[in-house]
């Protein structure tokens, strides 16, 4: 019995909260929120006495929402502005969807008034079709007008409208071809190329690899980057990688000699006192301690070293007026290093960090061209970062 009472109390509290929320939405003019909350509250046990408030509120919210929507449609028609067609179409959809939301919980009985709740539904199918056709015509005509301009932002708006129109009414006239036209016209094509302002020859494979944007994923919805110009495309912008300076250090071998010492345990020996006599324990046994000895080794370490630094600047050019938009610095460094070593003495005296060096030997230094190319991955990453963070159109 106690459990049943608790469940009923919980049910009443839930219903009370839902009714209060519905009333607040209705009072604030958010009629559709009030309708949604009331319908949710009536999906179960709609004939229960505690659900009566939901029904009164739903009846009132529906009437007010319908009245407001029809008034808005009337004003939009009187305004006679073609741009209102989308609002008119969406409002008719809203009127119809609201009815479809309520239908599953009907009929609803008002106990005190001994009547069925009134929801004057209408058939809006003709209005929806007519407003949809009017919207489609407006979107088509407006998009055609936008495509007749010379403004890329207008082309992009036309693309959005045509895509919406295609979803609204597939196979409408020549919309499919117009979408492709709007996409092409609205896209910024960017030519990315290099210039060598240094006194060195840039490895051709570095230039090719640096401008391999297929692995970058830099293209976005309205920007396409080409490292090789294509016929039939008018490029709007250019990104120029100007190599300014390439500094390559001489091939260096630095050598150093290190003395390594370490104490290692070598058995045990008797413990001696200050007088040099053996120390015994209480039982007369000689006390033994660890016997340590010092081992030594001489390490001859060699370090091969060569560095390259590539300095460039990235210029953004507007090809329409041949004006410089912005410039960004780009610097990359690469270091070749090989450490090897030999030793004389006891190898155990050497630190563990040296052990790997003993298995290495001197290797040929990389060529200057290879050093420059080895900067490539770092250059690509930094170039990608500059382009990603500094889009052509912000």
């Amino acid at each position: 019995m106690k459990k049943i009472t608790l469940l009923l109390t919980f049910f009443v509290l839930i219903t009370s909260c839902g009714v209060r929320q519905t009333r607040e939405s209705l009072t604030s003019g958010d009629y559709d929120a009030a309708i949604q909350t009331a319908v949710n509250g009536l999906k179960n046990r709609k004939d229960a006495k505690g659900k009566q408030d939901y029904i009164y509120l739903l009846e009132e919210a529906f009437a007010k929402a319908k009245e407001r929507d029809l008034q808005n449609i009337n004003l939009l028609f009187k305004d006679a502005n073609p741009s209102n067609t989308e609002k008119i179409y969406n409002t008719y959809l809203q009127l119809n969807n609201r009815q479809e939301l309520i239908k599953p919980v009907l009929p609803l009985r008002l106990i005190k008034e001994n009547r069925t709740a009134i929801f004057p539904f209408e058939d809006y199918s003709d209005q929806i079709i007519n407003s949809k056709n009017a919207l489609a015509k407006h979107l088509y005509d407006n998009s055609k007008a936008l495509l007749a301009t010379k403004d890329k932002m207008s082309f992009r708006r036309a693309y959005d409208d045509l895509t919406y129109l295609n979803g609204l009414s597939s196979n409408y006239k020549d919309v499919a071809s117009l979408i492709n036209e709007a996409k092409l016209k609205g896209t910024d094509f960017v030519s990315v190329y290099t210039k060598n302002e240094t006194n060195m020859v840039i490895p051709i494979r570095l230039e090719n690899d640096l401008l391999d944007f297929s692995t970058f994923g830099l293209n976005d919805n309205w920007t396409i980057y080409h490292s090789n110009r294509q016929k039939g495309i008018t490029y709007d912008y250019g990104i120029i990688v100007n190599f300014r300076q390439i500094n390559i250090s001489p091939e260096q071998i630095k050598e150093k000699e290190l003395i390594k010492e370490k104490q290692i345990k070598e058995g045990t020996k008797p413990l001696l006192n200050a007088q040099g006599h053996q120390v015994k324990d209480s039982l007369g046994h000689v006390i033994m301690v660890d016997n340590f000895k010092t081992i030594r080794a001489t390490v001859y370490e060699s370090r091969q070293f060569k560095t390259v630094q590539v300095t460039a600047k990235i210029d953004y050019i507007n090809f329409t007026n041949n004006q410089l938009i912005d410039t960004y610095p780009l610097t990359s460094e690469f270091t070749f290093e090989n450490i090897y070593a030999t030793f004389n003495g006891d190898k155990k005296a050497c630190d563990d960090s040296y052990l790997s060096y003993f298995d290495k030997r001197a290797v040929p230094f990389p060529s200057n061209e290879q050093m420059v190319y080895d900067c490539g991955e770092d250059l690509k990453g930094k170039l990608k970062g500059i382009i990603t963070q500094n889009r052509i159109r912000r």
Side-chain angles (χ1 to χ4, degrees):
M1 185 67 180
K2 184 178 181 180
K3 186 178 291 186
I4 295 174
T5 303
L6 287 173
L7 287 173
L8 288 173
T9 303
F10 179 74
F11 173 75
V12 170
L13 287 172
I14 292 295
T15 302
S16 177
C17 290
V19 168
R20 184 171 65 252
Q21 183 181 347
T22 305
R23 185 175 288 110
E24 288 173 354
S25 297
L26 179 61
T27 304
S28 65
D30 192 354
Y31 303 136
D32 283 300
I35 290 169
Q36 183 67 66
T37 306
V39 168
N40 289 339
L42 291 167
K43 285 181 179 179
N44 296 310
R45 300 182 67 210
K46 66 178 183 179
D47 297 324
K49 187 175 181 181
K51 299 294 185 80
Q52 288 291 290
D53 286 342
Y54 273 135
I55 300 174
Y56 280 107
L57 293 169
L58 178 60
E59 189 180 54
E60 182 181 355
F62 176 80
K64 290 184 175 180
K66 179 181 178 181
E67 180 184 14
R68 182 182 61 186
D69 286 351
L70 292 176
Q71 286 178 348
N72 288 338
I73 289 174
N74 187 45
L75 289 173
L76 291 171
F77 271 119
K78 287 182 178 180
D79 186 39
N81 188 334
S83 63
N84 290 333
T85 53
E86 184 175 3
K87 293 180 181 177
I88 293 171
Y89 171 66
N90 286 332
T91 305
Y92 276 125
L93 283 180
Q94 184 171 268
L95 284 162
N96 184 71
N97 292 340
R98 189 180 295 129
Q99 293 180 167
E100 294 302 315
L101 178 65
I102 295 173
K103 282 180 181 179
V105 298
L106 296 182
L108 295 171
R109 190 74 183 168
L110 291 169
I111 299 173
K112 286 185 179 180
E113 299 182 24
N114 192 27
R115 69 175 176 86
T116 300
I118 299 172
F119 298 97
F121 288 171
E122 307 288 347
D123 182 2
Y124 296 108
S125 55
D126 288 341
Q127 291 92 327
I128 289 173
I129 293 172
N130 292 335
S131 60
K132 177 183 176 181
N133 291 337
L135 174 57
K137 183 179 185 305
H138 167 67
L139 290 170
Y140 182 83
D141 293 343
N142 189 60
S143 297
K144 292 276 283 187
L146 290 171
L147 288 173
T149 67
K150 295 182 178 181
D151 178 54
K152 279 190 180 289
M153 295 299 104
S154 295
F155 301 148
R156 295 179 186 184
R157 288 198 299 273
Y159 176 84
D160 291 339
D161 284 350
L162 289 166
T163 302
Y164 174 46
L165 171 55
N166 195 49
L168 187 71
S169 182
S170 59
N171 301 319
Y172 187 89
K173 295 186 178 181
D174 56 343
V175 166
S177 63
L178 290 178
I179 288 176
N180 293 332
E181 179 185 347
K183 182 65 174 178
L184 181 63
K185 286 184 173 182
T187 298
D188 285 323
F189 288 94
V190 184
S191 174
V192 187
Y193 54 99
T194 63
K195 279 187 177 181
N196 185 3
E197 298 179 359
T198 72
N199 58 359
M200 293 185 61
V201 176
I202 304 294
I204 188 65
R205 62 176 180 150
L206 171 60
E207 293 190 44
N208 293 337
D209 191 53
L210 184 64
L211 300 181
D212 179 15
F213 287 95
S214 60
T215 59
F216 272 10
L218 289 175
N219 295 340
D220 59 32
N221 194 39
W222 291 111
T223 311
I224 294 178
Y225 299 87
H226 286 163
S227 56
N228 295 308
R229 289 197 171 220
Q230 299 181 12
K231 292 182 179 180
I233 292 180
T234 300
Y235 288 90
D236 307 280
Y237 299 94
I239 295 180
I240 309 171
V241 183
N242 295 282
F243 290 102
R244 306 299 298 279
Q245 197 169 17
I246 298 177
N247 299 316
I248 301 177
S249 73
E251 297 176 357
Q252 304 173 61
I253 300 179
K254 295 183 178 181
E255 298 178 338
K256 60 182 178 179
E257 180 179 316
L258 303 167
I259 305 298
K260 296 293 181 179
E261 291 186 350
K262 186 182 291 183
Q263 283 193 328
I264 63 171
K265 180 181 176 181
E266 192 176 67
T268 59
K269 64 180 180 179
L271 177 62
L272 303 178
N273 59 23
Q275 290 74 36
H277 301 137
Q278 293 181 350
V279 179
K280 298 181 180 181
D281 60 20
S282 59
L283 298 176
H285 299 141
V286 176
I287 297 175
M288 304 299 291
V289 294
D290 292 336
N291 182 36
F292 288 94
K293 76 171 185 177
T294 300
I295 58 174
R296 295 179 178 83
T298 303
V299 177
Y300 305 96
E301 180 186 301
S302 299
R303 178 172 177 259
Q304 291 178 278
F305 184 78
K306 186 177 181 180
T307 62
V308 61
Q309 182 187 66
V310 178
T311 302
K313 69 183 180 76
I314 313 301
D315 291 334
Y316 280 51
I317 306 295
N318 186 335
F319 285 154
T320 303
N321 53 22
N322 289 321
Q323 294 294 311
L324 177 66
I325 300 173
D326 222 328
T327 296
Y328 304 94
L330 177 63
T331 302
S332 177
E333 294 185 6
F334 177 77
T335 299
F336 164 78
E337 183 180 61
N338 179 51
I339 301 175
Y340 58 97
T342 58
F343 70 94
N344 186 19
D346 194 326
K347 187 177 182 180
K348 295 178 183 177
C350 302
D351 298 335
D352 290 343
S353 59
Y354 282 95
L355 298 182
S356 62
Y357 298 155
F358 297 147
D359 296 326
K360 295 182 178 180
R361 295 293 181 266
V363 296
F365 280 93
S367 65
N368 289 352
E369 178 180 311
Q370 182 63 44
M371 290 290 291
V372 174
Y373 181 74
D374 286 338
C375 274
E377 284 304 312
D378 185 53
L379 282 170
K380 283 178 69 172
K382 290 181 177 178
L383 177 59
K384 178 182 179 180
I386 289 173
I387 295 176
T388 301
Q389 295 171 22
N390 303 279
R391 294 291 184 180
I392 292 293
R393 293 183 191 264
R394 297 177 177 84

